[in-house]
C-alpha cells in the first residue's frame, strides 16, 4: 500500500504542489510570528537586564491606580521614606533619585525627535551608572547632560542651548555634558535621557520640590537580596514597590516590547487567515485527488484492499505532503522571523538581537497547523475514498455530482439560527452572542453554498452572450461542491476585509457626523498618533491664555484626559481648563444641573453607566494625590466630542501627570477669517512642537488617515488570502481541463478557435471567483453592519458600507480569476485535437 | 492538378498523401501515397483492418491533422499550408464531424448541442432546415433533454443532426455506430443514408462492420496506408467476400515473405 501511495503521490505533482504551497504559507506565517515574538522578547530582556544590571534593589511608591509599573506615572516619595529604607539592616546606602518619562528635548528642526523608547528625565548622581564622555555634570538649574545617542540624533554638542518640555512648559537649558551608561553607547531601545541637577529634576519631572521617584538601594556586602527586599517592604509598609534589578528591567522592557506585539499579532492574523483558507484549499485538493484516483482506488479494492487501507492510503498521502511542507514552512518561518526581528530591533539602535534558540512553541504550534490541520482537512476526502465501490473501476464515466441534501439542510438551519442569535445579541447588547451568531452564519453559508451556485450563477447568464462565455458559465456549475469549496476559499478573505472595512468606514462616517453635528469649534489643537511609551503632548497654558486674547477668537477650551479610578473602578476622566467655554466649542446641552467649576459633569450615557444623577457623590482617585469625593453638578446630552466624566480643572491639574492640557478647541468669532486666524494660533503655539492646529475638515482627514493605515494592513491580509485562493482556483481548473479534455477536442473539431477555448476557461474561472467574492462582500457587509450595531455603545453610531472598497474587492477577485485561468486555459487551448478526442 | 481532376465533382480529395508518425526505430507510415476522391452527394464507407490508416486519412481530410506529403482538398480549397485558424474556420463552415463517442456537451440540451457549431460560428440557423433535420432523426420530443437523459443511439443521432445542420461540404463519421447496439446502429445508419438521398449530403464513414458498410454507395478498402480495393453499391455479402479475399491475399503475402 505504501508503494502504491508513493507512486500516486509522484503522479500528481502539480496538485500536491498547490496544497503544499498553502501549507507552507500557513506554517511560515505562524512560525515567523512566534519566532519574531520570542526573539524580540529575549533580545529586550537581555538588553534591559544589562541596562539595569547595576540596580540591586529599587523602592518606588505604588501607583494609586495600580497598573503596569513600567508605564504608570511616578508617584513622589519624600525624605522620610529614604530614611526608613536606609535604616533597614543589610542596606548599605539608600539614595533618593528622580527618574520619570516625559522629558522631551526639542531638536534643531523644532520638533521632538522620534523614538519608540521613552524620553526620560533623571536626576544626575555620581555612581548611578552614568559616565561622562564629554563636559561635566549638571549643577545649576539651567544645565543638562544628554545621552550620547540623543546627542548623535539631534546633533547637539556641549555648550548648545536647547529647549526641553517637561511637566512644565518649554524651558531653555545649556548642554553641559554628554554621558554613556555602563560602558554602552546608549540606553536600550533608543531611549532619550536628559539628566538635570537633582532639585531641577524634582521640580520639572515630579512637580514636587524635595521629592523622589525612586530610591536606589545598595546592599551591604554579603547581604541576601531576597531577605533585604522582604525587610525593606516590611519596614515601609503598604503602598510601596520593592523590586530587584531584574524585576525593574522586566517592567521597563514591557512598553518597548508592546511596540512590537502589534506586528506579531498582524503576522498571527495572517497565519490565521492562511490556515482558514488553506483548510478549504487542502480539503478541495484532496477531494480532487480522490476523485481522480477513484478508478485506481476501486481497482485496489477489487483486488482485495480493505476500506481502512484505502482510507489510510489517502491519509498517508496527506501526512507525507504536510510533513514535508511543514519542514519547509518552518525553516522559512525561522528565517523570516529572525530577519524581521533584527530589522525591527536594530531600527531603533541599541537592542542587539538575541542568539538563536530553538523556539519550542513555534515548533509545536506550526506542526499542529501544518500537519494537524492538513490531516483534519483530508479526513473527509479519505472517508469518501474508502466508500469507493470496487465496481467503480468498471464504470466508464464519473457520476454526476449533486449538492448534499443533509449539508444544505444543516447549513440552512445554521444560517437561520446564526441570524437569530445575532439579532438576539444585538437586542441584548451581548457582543459575544453577535460573534457566536456570526460564526454560525459563516458555517451555514459554507454549507449552503453548493446549492446557491447554480441559481446565483444563472443570474449573470444575461452577461454571457457569446458561446464560449456561456459554456464557461455552465461549466462553473457542473461540480457544485468543488466550485463551492473553491469559491469559499476566496470568500473568506473578501469577507474578512469587508467586515473590517465596513466597521472602519462606519467609524469614519461617525467621526464626520460627530464633527459636523456636535463640534462647534473651528480649530482643533492636537497631536498625531502618540507613540508607545511616550507621554501625551502638552500645551503651555500661557499659549492658550494669549490665544484667548486674539481678537478673532471667541473661546478656547484646553482639554486633558487620563486614567483614574471612579467609585473604585478603573475608568477614564477628562477636564477642561475653562469649563465655561465648553458650551461654545461643542453642542453641550444640560438636561439636569449646569456648568460648574467645582463639581463633576457627566454626559447622559456616562451617567447611565455610572448610575449617577445630579447631586450624587462620586469618589475619584487620580494618578497622584488623595482620593476625593465630588458631587455631580450637571448631566448633558451625549455629544461624542465632550463626553465622559468631566472633573473640575482645579482637581485635575493637581492629580494629573501635568497641569498642562494636551488638546485644545478654538471657537472663532462670527465672520473671523479661518486661514488667517489659524496662522495666528499656529504662531502662538511655536513653543509647543508636539501639537498641530487642524481645521474641522483636517480633523476628519486625520481620523481617516489613521483608518487608512488599518485598511492598508487589512488589504495586505486580503492579498495573502487571495494568493492562497488563487492556488485553489488553479487546482480546480486544472482538474476541469483534464476531465473535459475530450470535450475540448470535440469543440475544436467542430470549429472552435483556440482563443475561444481559452476564453471559455477564463469565464469559468472568473465566474467562480466572482461568485466567491460576491458571497464574501455580501456576508462581510452583513456581519460588518451587525458588528457596527453591536459597537453602538462604543460610540460608532453611523452605519456606512465601503462601496468603493467592496467594488475593488470584487474586481480584485475577477483579476484573481483571470490570473488563475492563465495556465490551465493555455493548456486547454494547446491540446492536440486528435489526442483530446481519443482521451478517455 | 489537371483539368480533368478539377472537372470531377469531388467533395474532398487526397492526392498522393503520405503521413508518417514518429522517427527512426518507431517510425510508422500511416498513409503511404493514398489518392482518393470523395464524390459529392455520395455515401462513402472506408474499411480496413485496425491500424490500416482509416482514421488518419479521415482526420487529414477533415483538417484535423496535417500530412507530410501530397495534397488535400475540401471542394476546390487546398488544405496544404493552412494555419490553425484557417483550418478551424474550414471545419466550422465546411466540414461536419461525428465521433465514436464524446460528441456532445453534457451541459447543453439536445437542441443546444445541435445548434452549437452555428452558435460558435455566430451564424443564424435556418428554422425550416432545422425542423426537417430534427424530424428526420426523430428527436423532436427529446430536444429539451440533456445528453445524460438520452440513450447512446439518441446521442449519436443528435451528433448526426448537428453535423448536418450547417450543410457542410462533407461529413466525416469515424465508426459512428461502434458503441451502439445493432438496432440503434441501424437507426443511425438509415438516417445517414437518408440525408445523402434526400438532402444530397456527402458523407464519409469509417467502419469495421460489413453491415454498416452496406448502407454506403461505395466502399473503399485500406490496408497498410493504401487503397487495396473498392466496390460500388455494396451488399453485406459482397463486402464480406471482399474482406475474405483481401485477408487471403495478405496471408499469402505473409507466407511467401
Ligand atoms: N498519434 C500517433 N502517433 C503514432 N502513431 C500513430 C498515431 N496515430 C496513429 N498512429 C499509427 O498510424 C497507423 C494508422 O492508424 P489509424 O489511422 O488510427 O488506423 P485505423 O483507424 O485504420 O485503425 C497505426 O499503425 C497507428 O498505430
Ligand atoms: Mg480508427
Amino acid at each position: 500500500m505504501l508503494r502504491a501511495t508513493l507512486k500516486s503521490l509522484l503522479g500528481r505533482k502539480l496538485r500536491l504542489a498547490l496544497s503544499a504551497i498553502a501549507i507552507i504559507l500557513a506554517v511560515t506565517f505562524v512560525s515567523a510570528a512566534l519566532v519574531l515574538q520570542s526573539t524580540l522578547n529575549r533580545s529586550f530582556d537581555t538588553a534591559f537586564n544589562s541596562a539595569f544590571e547595576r540596580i540591586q534593589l529599587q523602592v518606588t511608591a505604588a501607583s494609586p491606580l495600580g497598573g503596569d509599573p513600567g508605564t504608570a506615572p511616578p508617584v513622589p516619595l519624600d525624605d522620610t521614606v529614604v530614611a526608613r529604607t536606609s535604616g533597614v539592616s543589610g542596606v548599605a546606602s539608600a539614595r533618593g533619585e528622580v527618574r520619570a518619562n516625559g522629558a522631551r528635548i526639542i531638536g534643531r528642526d523644532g520638533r521632538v525627535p522620534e523614538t519608540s523608547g521613552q524620553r526620560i528625565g533623571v536626576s544626575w548622581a555620581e555612581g548611578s551608572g552614568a559616565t561622562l564622555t564629554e563636559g561635566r555634570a549638571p549643577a545649576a538649574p539651567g544645565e543638562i547632560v544628554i545621552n550620547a545617542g540623543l546627542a548623535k540624533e539631534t546633533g547637539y554638542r556641549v555648550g548648545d542651548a536647547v529647549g526641553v518640555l517637561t511637566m512644565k512648559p518649554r524651558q531653555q537649558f545649556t548642554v553641559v555634558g554628554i554621558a554613556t551608561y555602563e560602558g554602552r553607547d546608549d540606553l536600550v531601545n533608543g531611549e532619550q535621557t536628559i539628566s538635570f541637577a537633582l532639585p531641577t529634576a524634582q521640580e520639572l519631572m515630579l512637580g514636587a520640590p524635595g521629592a523622589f521617584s525612586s530610591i536606589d538601594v545598595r546592599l551591604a556586602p554579603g547581604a541576601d537580596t531576597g531577605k533585604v527586599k522582604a525587610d525593606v517592604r516590611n519596614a515601609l509598609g503598604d503602598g510601596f514597590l520593592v523590586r530587584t534589578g531584574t524585576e525593574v528591567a522586566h517592567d521597563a522592557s514591557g512598553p518597548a516590547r508592546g511596540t512590537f506585539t502589534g506586528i506579531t499579532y498582524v503576522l498571527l492574523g495572517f497565519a490565521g487567515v492562511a490556515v482558514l483558507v488553506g483548510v478549504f484549499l487542502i480539503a478541495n485538493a484532496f477531494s480532487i485527488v480522490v476523485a481522480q484516483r477513484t478508478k485506481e482506488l476501486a481497482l485496489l479494492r477489487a483486488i482485495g484492499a480493505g476500506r481502512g487501507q484505502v482510507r489510510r492510503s489517502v491519509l498517508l498521502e496527506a501526512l507525507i505532503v504536510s510533513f514535508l511542507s511543514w519542514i519547509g514552512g518552518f525553516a522559512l518561518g525561522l528565517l523570516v522571523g529572525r530577519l524581521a526581528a533584527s530589522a525591527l530591533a536594530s531600527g531603533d539602535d541599541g537592542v542587539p538581537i538575541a542568539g538563536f534558540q530553538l523556539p519550542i512553541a513555534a515548533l509545536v504550534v506550526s506542526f499542529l497547523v501544518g500537519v494537524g490541520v492538513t490531516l483534519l482537512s483530508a479526513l473527509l476526502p479519505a472517508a469518501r475514498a474508502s466508500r469507493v465501490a470496487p465496481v467503480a473501476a468498471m464504470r466508464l464515466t464519473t457520476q454526476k455530482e449533486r449538492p448534499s441534501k443533509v449539508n444544505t439542510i444543516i447549513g440552512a438551519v445554521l444560517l437561520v439560527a446564526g441570524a437569530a442569535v445575532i439579532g438576539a445579541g444585538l437586542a441584548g447588547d451581548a457582543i459575544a452572542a453577535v460573534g457566536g451568531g456570526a460564526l454560525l452564519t459563516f458555517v451555514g453559508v459554507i454549507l449552503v453554498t453548493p446549492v446557491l451556485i447554480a441559481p446565483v450563477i444563472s443570474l449573470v447568464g444575461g452577461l454571457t452572450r457569446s458561446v464560449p462565455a456561456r459554456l464557461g458559465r455552465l461549466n462553473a456549475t457542473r461540480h457544485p461542491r468543488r466550485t463551492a469549496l473553491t469559491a469559499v476559499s476566496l470568500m473568506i478573505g473578501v469577507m474578512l476585509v469587508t467586515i473590517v472595512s465596513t466597521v472602519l468606514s462606519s467609524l469614519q462616517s461617525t467621526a464626520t457626523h460627530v464633527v459636523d453635528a456636535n463640534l462647534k469649534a473651528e480649530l482643533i489643537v492636537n497631536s498625531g498618533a502618540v507613540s508607545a511609551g511616550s507621554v501625551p503632548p502638552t500645551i503651555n497654558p500661557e499659549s492658550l491664555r494669549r490665544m484667548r486674547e486674539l481678537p478673532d477668537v471667541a473661546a478656547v477650551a484646553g482639554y486633558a484626559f487620563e486614567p483614574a479610578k471612579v467609585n473604585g473602578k478603573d475608568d477614564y476622566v477628562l477636564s477642561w481648563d475653562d469649563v465655561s467655554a465648553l458650551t461654545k466649542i461643542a453642542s453641550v446641552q444640560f438636561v439636569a444641573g449646569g456648568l460648574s467649576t467645582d463639581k463633576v459633569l457627566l454626559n447622559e450615557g456616562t451617567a447611565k453607566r455610572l448610575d449617577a444623577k445630579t447631586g450624587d457623590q462620586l469618589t475619584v482617585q487620580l494618578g497622584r494625590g488623595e482620593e476625593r469625593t465630588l458631587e455631580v453638578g450637571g448631566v448633558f446630552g451625549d455629544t461624542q466630542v465632550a463626553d465622559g466624566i468631566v472633573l473640575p480643572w482645579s482637581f485635575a491639574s493637581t492629580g494629573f501627570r501635568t497641569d498642562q492640557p494636551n488638546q485644545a478647541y478654538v471657537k472663532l468669532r462670527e465672520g473671523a477669517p479661518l486661514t488667517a486666524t489659524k496662522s495666528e494660533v499656529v504662531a502662538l503655539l511655536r513653543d509647543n512642537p508636539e501639537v498641530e492646529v487642524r481645521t474641522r475638515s483636517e480633523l476628519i482627514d486625520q481620523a481617516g488617515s489613521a483608518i487608512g493605515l488599518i485598511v492598508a494592513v487589512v488589504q495586505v491580509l486580503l492579498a495573502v488570502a487571495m494568493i492562497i485562493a488563487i492556488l485553489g482556483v488553479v487546482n480546480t481548473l486544472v482538474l476541469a481541463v483534464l476531465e473535459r479534455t475530450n470535450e475540448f477536442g470535440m469543440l475544436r473539431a467542430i470549429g472552435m478557435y483556440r482563443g475561444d477555448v481559452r476564453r471559455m476557461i477564463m469565464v469559468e474561472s472568473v465566474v467562480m471567483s466572482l461568485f466567491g467574492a460576491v458571497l464574501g462582500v455580501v456576508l462581510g457587509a452583513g456581519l460588518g453592519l451587525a458588528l457596527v450595531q453591536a459597537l453602538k455603545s462604543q460610540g460608532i453610531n453611523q452605519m456606512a458600507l465601503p462601496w468603493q472598497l467592496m467594488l475593488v474587492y470584487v474586481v480584485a477577485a475577477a483579476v484573481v480569476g483571470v490570473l488563475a485561468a492563465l495556465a490551465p486555459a493555455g493548456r486547454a487551448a494547446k491540446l492536440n485535437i486528435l489526442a483530446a478526442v481519443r482521451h478517455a | 492538378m489537371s483539368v480533368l481532376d478539377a472537372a470531377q465533382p469531388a467533395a474532398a480529395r487526397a492526392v498522393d498523401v503520405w503521413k508518417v508518425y514518429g522517427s527512426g526505430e518507431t517510425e510508422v507510415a500511416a498513409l503511404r501515397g493514398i489518392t482518393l476522391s470523395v464524390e459529392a452527394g455520395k455515401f462513402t464507407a472506408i474499411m480496413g483492418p485496425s491500424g490500416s490508416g482509416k482514421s488518419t486519412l479521415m482526420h487529414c481530410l477533415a483538417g484535423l491533422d496535417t500530412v507530410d506529403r501530397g495534397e488535400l482538398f475540401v471542394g476546390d480549397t487546398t488544405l496544404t499550408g493552412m494555419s490553425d485558424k484557417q483550418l478551424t474556420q474550414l471545419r466550422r463552415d465546411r466540414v461536419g464531424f461525428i465521433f465514436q463517442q464524446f460528441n456532445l456537451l453534457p451541459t447543453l440540451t439536445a437542441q443546444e448541442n445541435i445548434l452549437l457549431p452555428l452558435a460558435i460560428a455566430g451564424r443564424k440557423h435556418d428554422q425550416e432546415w432545422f425542423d426537417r433535420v430534427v424530424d428526420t432523426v426523430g428527436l423532436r420530443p427529446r430536444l429539451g433533454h440533456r445528453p445524460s437523459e438520452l440513450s447512446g443511439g439518441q446521442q449519436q443521432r443528435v451528433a448526426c443532426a448537428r453535423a448536418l445542420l450547417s450543410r457542410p461540404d462533407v461529413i466525416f463519421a469515424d465508426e459512428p455506430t461502434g458503441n451502439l447496439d445493432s438496432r440503434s446502429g441501424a437507426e443511425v445508419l438509415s438516417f445517414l443514408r437518408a440525408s445523402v438521398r434526400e438532402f444530397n449530403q456527402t458523407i464519409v464513414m469509417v467502419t469495421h462492420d460489413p453491415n454498416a458498410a452496406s448502407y454506403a454507395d461505395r466502399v473503399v478498402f485500406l490496408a497498410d496506408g493504401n487503397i487495396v480495393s473498392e466496390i460500388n453499391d455494396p451488399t453485406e455479402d459482397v463486402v464480406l467476400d471482399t474482406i475474405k479475399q483481401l485477408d487471403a491475399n495478405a496471408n499469402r503475402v505473409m507466407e511467401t515473405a
Side-chain angles (χ1 to χ4, degrees), chain A residues 604-621:
Chain A
E604 277 186 295
T606 309
K608 195 173 151 220
R609 178 166 65 80
L610 295 175
D611 194 19
K613 55 184 188 306
T614 308
D616 285 359
Q617 304 287 322
L618 295 180
T619 59
V620 181
Q621 171 67 59

Side-chain angles (χ1 to χ4, degrees), chain A residues 516-839:
Chain A
D516 284 347
N518 294 336
L519 186 67
K520 291 192 197 162
E522 283 88 0
L523 295 175
I524 299 90
V525 182
N526 67 4
S527 72
V530 179
S531 63
S534 70
V535 297
T538 50
I539 305 174
N540 187 347
E542 174 61 14
S543 305
L544 294 182
R545 191 188 62 73
R546 286 171 55 198
M547 212 179 286
R548 289 183 173 106
E549 287 170 359
L550 288 176
D552 281 329
V553 169
V556 174
Y559 164 101
F561 176 79
E562 279 207 3
K565 268 187 162 44
V566 177
N567 286 343
K569 288 204 202 103
D570 286 335
D571 213 322
Y572 285 92
V573 294
L574 62 94
S575 186
W576 301 96
D577 67 346
D578 176 10
V579 78
S580 67
L582 184 56
T583 51
K584 299 195 186 89
I585 61 109
S587 325
V588 169
Q589 276 169 349
F590 282 88
V591 293
L595 286 179
S596 156
T597 51
D598 57 358
K599 292 178 184 158
V600 178
L601 308 178
L602 303 171
N603 66 304
E604 277 186 295
T606 309
K608 195 173 151 220
R609 178 166 65 80
L610 295 175
D611 194 19
K613 55 184 188 306
T614 308
D616 285 359
Q617 304 287 322
L618 295 180
T619 59
V620 181
Q621 171 67 59
L622 300 180
R624 303 194 299 172
E626 298 296 311
E627 184 179 80
R628 272 179 53 182
T629 303
L630 293 160
E631 187 187 322
V632 177
V635 175
F636 54 90
D638 295 346
T639 63
Q640 292 212 283
V641 284
D643 292 354
I645 304 170
V646 184
L647 300 183
W649 187 252
S650 55
F651 176 36
S653 57
T654 60
F656 280 4
R657 192 187 278 267
T658 143
D659 59 359
Q660 305 174 71
N662 13 86
Q663 289 183 26
Y665 295 84
V666 182
K667 173 75 194 161
L668 303 190
R669 278 191 208 292
E670 198 82 38
L674 183 65
T675 323
T677 319
K678 183 181 166 185
S679 313
E680 288 177 323
V681 169
V682 168
L684 281 181
L685 290 165
R686 206 182 303 112
D687 281 349
N688 304 270
E690 294 167 298
V691 291
E692 285 163 27
V693 182
R694 294 187 168 84
T695 61
R696 296 156 62 102
S697 63
E698 284 165 345
L699 183 70
I700 292 172
D701 290 348
Q702 188 192 13
S705 65
I707 288 168
L709 184 71
I710 305 178
V711 169
V713 170
V714 166
Q715 268 148 6
V716 174
L717 189 100
L718 175 71
V720 171
M722 287 234 174
I723 288 171
I724 301 178
I726 285 186
L727 301 177
V729 179
V730 171
N731 208 346
T732 303
L733 288 178
V734 168
L735 180 68
V737 168
L738 275 179
E739 276 180 346
R740 297 181 204 142
T741 298
N742 45 54
E743 280 177 37
F744 296 130
M746 189 272 289
L747 283 168
R748 293 274 289 126
I750 65 167
M752 189 177 254
Y753 290 121
R754 288 213 161 113
D756 287 340
V757 172
R758 209 174 287 129
R759 214 162 301 135
M760 186 164 91
I761 291 166
M762 286 275 172
V763 169
E764 176 174 357
S765 175
V766 170
V767 161
M768 211 155 42
S769 309
L770 280 181
F771 175 77
V774 169
L775 213 59
V777 163
V778 170
L779 194 59
L783 295 180
L785 289 181
L787 194 60
V788 169
Q789 182 66 28
L791 289 174
K792 203 166 178 173
S793 58
Q794 310 289 309
I796 309 184
N797 55 11
Q798 298 289 309
M799 289 200 180
L801 284 177
W803 292 112
Q804 282 163 350
L805 285 178
M806 283 159 71
L807 192 71
V808 168
Y809 300 152
V810 171
V811 171
V815 173
V816 163
V818 171
L819 291 180
L822 285 178
R827 185 166 159 177
K830 280 200 207 81
L831 281 175
N832 174 291
I833 302 174
L834 292 171
V837 170
R838 261 185 244 119
H839 190 273

Side-chain angles (χ1 to χ4, degrees), chain A residues 467 470-471 474-475 478 742-743 746-754 756 833-834 837-839, chain B residues 59 64-65 84-85 88-89 91-92 99 102-108 112 116-117 119-120 162:
Chain A
V467 176
R470 197 171 109 77
L471 292 178
L474 289 174
N475 282 339
R478 263 162 97 163
N742 45 54
E743 280 177 37
M746 189 272 289
L747 283 168
R748 293 274 289 126
I750 65 167
M752 189 177 254
Y753 290 121
R754 288 213 161 113
D756 287 340
I833 302 174
L834 292 171
V837 170
R838 261 185 244 119
H839 190 273
Chain B
H59 291 149
L64 287 169
D65 207 348
D84 180 74
K85 203 156 187 163
T88 307
Q89 194 149 10
R91 289 196 302 270
R92 158 196 284 196
F99 296 103
F102 307 128
N103 270 301
L104 308 180
L105 285 191
T107 44
L108 301 183
E112 290 169 327
L116 188 57
I120 289 177
R162 181 185 69 195

Side-chain angles (χ1 to χ4, degrees), chain A residues 838, chain B residues 21-22 28-30 48-57 174-175 206:
Chain A
R838 261 185 244 119
Chain B
Y21 287 112
V28 180
S50 208
S52 56
K54 306 182 294 290
S55 297
T56 305
L57 174 63
D174 195 350
E175 303 193 35
V206 165

Side-chain angles (χ1 to χ4, degrees), chain A residues 411-422:
Chain A
V413 169
L414 286 180
L415 202 59
V416 173
V421 172
I422 291 179

Side-chain angles (χ1 to χ4, degrees), chain B residues 188-204:
Chain B
V188 168
L189 290 163
S190 314
F191 169 65
L192 289 178
R193 186 168 57 189
S195 34
V196 175
R197 301 272 182 277
E198 291 171 33
F199 309 142
N200 204 30
Q201 175 66 54
T202 311
I203 297 180
V204 179

Side-chain angles (χ1 to χ4, degrees), chain A residues 81-353:
Chain A
V81 185
V82 181
R84 268 151 67 203
T85 306
S86 55
V88 175
S89 83
V91 172
S93 72
R95 181 177 50 80
E97 60 180 10
V98 176
R99 184 184 166 80
N101 191 8
R104 291 148 289 160
I105 198 163
I106 298 169
R108 289 186 193 279
D109 59 356
R111 313 196 64 81
V112 175
E114 292 290 331
T115 176
S116 57
Q118 298 198 339
R119 301 184 173 100
I120 301 198
V122 301
S123 53
W124 180 266
E126 288 306 327
S128 67
T131 320
L132 286 167
T133 55
E134 254 182 82
R136 56 172 176 83
E143 294 177 349
I144 55 171
V145 165
I146 59 178
N147 67 320
L150 186 53
K152 197 171 136 218
E153 161 120 32
T154 55
Y156 285 138
R157 289 188 300 265
V158 172
D160 283 347
V162 301
V164 178
L165 302 166
T166 56
M167 276 184 69
K168 302 277 175 269
R170 176 189 174 131
Q171 288 184 18
Q172 283 298 115
F173 294 88
T174 307
V175 178
V176 295
I178 291 174
T180 59
Y181 297 84
E182 296 284 294
R184 301 160 48 95
D185 280 346
D186 205 337
L187 265 185
V188 283
N189 195 28
E191 218 161 60
Q192 303 175 356
T193 307
I194 300 175
S195 307
F196 304 92
L198 178 63
T200 318
Q202 288 170 326
E203 193 197 327
L204 295 185
M205 297 315 301
L206 296 177
F212 305 103
S213 68
S214 52
I215 301 167
D216 180 32
V217 180
R218 309 301 303 171
L219 303 185
D224 176 61
T225 313
K227 186 178 175 304
V228 177
K229 181 180 163 185
D231 289 349
V232 171
R233 193 182 297 137
N234 285 337
L236 295 179
D238 279 349
F240 296 94
L241 291 177
V242 185
R243 293 176 294 165
T244 63
T246 321
E247 288 164 341
V248 173
H250 185 79
D251 291 339
S253 68
R257 269 192 295 215
T259 321
F260 298 110
T261 317
I263 294 164
T264 313
Y265 285 147
V266 169
L267 273 177
L268 282 177
F270 287 7
V273 171
V275 171
L276 201 58
V277 179
V279 166
F280 289 91
L281 176 76
I282 294 162
N284 198 18
F286 279 95
S287 318
I288 289 173
V289 166
V290 169
Q292 274 194 299
R293 278 181 75 189
T294 300
K295 281 238 173 72
E296 181 194 327
L297 293 173
L299 206 64
L300 287 172
R301 293 271 283 128
I303 60 170
R307 267 167 197 255
Q309 275 177 304
V310 166
R311 185 170 47 235
R312 278 195 296 279
S313 133
V314 173
L315 287 180
L316 185 64
E317 187 167 323
L319 183 69
I320 294 171
V321 173
S322 61
F323 191 78
L324 292 179
S325 312
W326 167 63
I327 292 177
F330 184 70
L332 209 58
L334 275 184
L335 190 71
V336 172
R338 275 197 76 78
L339 287 181
S342 29
L344 288 174
S346 67
D348 250 328
D349 52 15
V351 179
I353 201 77

Side-chain angles (χ1 to χ4, degrees), chain B residues 205-234:
Chain B
M205 171 180 75
V206 165
T207 183
H208 270 113
D209 177 7
N211 173 259
S214 70
Y215 283 79
D217 299 316
R218 173 191 180 206
V219 183
V220 176
F221 292 89
L222 252 60
D224 294 332
N226 252 315
I227 296 178
V228 288
S229 180
E230 143 165 24
I231 30 179
N232 283 314
D233 301 319

